[in-house]
Amino acid sequence: MVKIPQEIEEIENQIEEALWSLEMHDEKEKALEIYLEAETKLDKLALTMEKSAFHEQQRVLSYCLMRQGNLLRQMGKSEEALAISEREIAAARGSENEIALARSLMSNGTNYIVTGGVGKGNELLEKARELFEGGDSYNHQQGLGWYWIIQADLVNAGIIEKEPAEVIEVSTRALEILKPIENWPGVARAYAARANAQEKMGNGEAAAGDRQEQEYYQSKVEVEEKGAG
């Protein structure tokens, strides 16, 4: 295992703290400010690093840019998010880290789809899926589960045209992957996506059951957040 230089580890922790304490609580502007600060610190560090440390710097930079792009997309700034994701994927390739690259391909693909580039976006998403399916680690499984969630969310948002029954299928697939590894944020999100599709199909009882499951697993996320704090 590669030893992460202390300065990079501290910046990565700063990003994680902003994710859970700010971004996850809808404080987008504050979170974005911290991510931009982290990016500046990482850029300065890159100037004096040896190769192995540089790979770690690129991995964390890719993650930092992904968080920025995700926020910009939520804030309706899709073109800015797409521009960020181009730099993100370049950093992921520079990291020589398979998981970082797969996550960036997925993020970049989503940005393309949201801005109308469905063909290019789907191509990137499929490349990400192939990488996630190539391993059985926690991170591989987590990424694959979230791949299916993104597929469901894009349909529910009306960005990709598919039948609600297909959303139920892919959401269930995500649950089958994420429940065993106890990725509760993903499980909650998958139940939310499935409930949405159930409602569109007029399956009121099934939708209500999925909403209950969503609330239950969301409460587990909140408990873990408090424990970590």
Side-chain angles (χ1 to χ4, degrees):
M1 180 178 290
V2 176
K3 180 174 174 57
I4 304 174
Q6 184 178 348
E7 301 95 329
I8 297 177
E9 186 172 13
E10 288 172 357
I11 295 170
E12 187 171 19
N13 290 338
Q14 177 186 4
I15 296 168
E16 283 289 307
E17 174 63 25
L19 167 63
W20 292 104
S21 65
L22 296 173
E23 183 179 339
M24 295 294 286
H25 294 278
D26 210 32
E27 296 189 54
K28 298 182 180 67
E29 296 288 352
K30 290 182 180 178
L32 185 57
E33 186 178 327
I34 290 174
Y35 298 151
L36 289 168
E37 179 185 318
E39 180 189 352
T40 299
K41 290 179 181 178
L42 287 164
D43 285 342
K44 288 180 179 178
L45 285 175
L47 299 174
T48 59
M49 288 189 162
E50 60 183 32
K51 188 173 181 180
S52 62
F54 178 72
H55 288 163
E56 284 300 302
Q57 182 269 353
Q58 290 286 285
R59 178 185 63 79
V60 177
L61 177 61
S62 175
Y63 178 50
C64 181
L65 293 171
M66 180 173 68
R67 297 261 50 90
Q68 290 180 39
N70 183 61
L71 280 178
L72 290 168
R73 192 165 62 241
Q74 291 179 49
M75 295 161 74
K77 300 178 180 180
S78 299
E79 293 296 335
E80 289 182 43
L82 186 59
I84 286 278
S85 67
E86 294 289 350
R87 292 196 290 126
E88 171 200 336
I89 202 166
R93 293 189 189 284
S95 75
E96 299 187 4
N97 181 292
E98 181 179 73
I99 293 297
L101 178 57
R103 287 172 175 167
S104 291
L105 288 168
M106 189 158 67
S107 172
N108 207 7
T110 303
N111 283 330
Y112 266 105
I113 290 171
V114 169
T115 53
V118 176
K120 176 68 172 178
N122 280 330
E123 179 184 334
L124 293 170
L125 285 175
E126 288 310 300
K127 287 180 180 178
R129 180 181 61 80
E130 290 172 6
L131 288 174
F132 287 132
E133 288 181 338
D136 57 5
S137 71
Y138 175 91
N139 286 329
H140 284 88
Q141 292 301 299
Q142 180 189 47
L144 185 59
W146 277 90
Y147 163 86
W148 293 117
I149 290 171
I150 287 171
Q151 294 291 330
D153 284 349
L154 289 170
V155 176
N156 281 335
I159 297 171
I160 291 179
E161 292 186 13
K162 287 185 180 179
E163 293 300 317
E166 294 181 77
V167 176
I168 293 171
E169 179 185 343
V170 298
S171 300
T172 301
R173 196 172 299 178
L175 289 169
E176 291 170 350
I177 295 168
L178 296 174
K179 271 190 174 181
I181 64 171
E182 299 184 357
N183 184 259
W184 306 138
V187 171
R189 180 85 162 262
Y191 272 120
R194 198 168 75 174
N196 192 318
Q198 298 280 19
E199 288 163 358
K200 288 179 180 177
M201 293 181 70
N203 300 334
E205 187 174 343
D210 282 344
R211 291 293 180 201
Q212 287 182 340
E213 292 293 327
Q214 176 194 351
E215 291 174 7
Y216 170 72
Y217 285 103
Q218 187 58 45
S219 70
K220 288 177 75 71
V221 173
E222 292 166 2
V223 167
E224 287 187 358
E225 283 180 17
K226 289 178 182 177

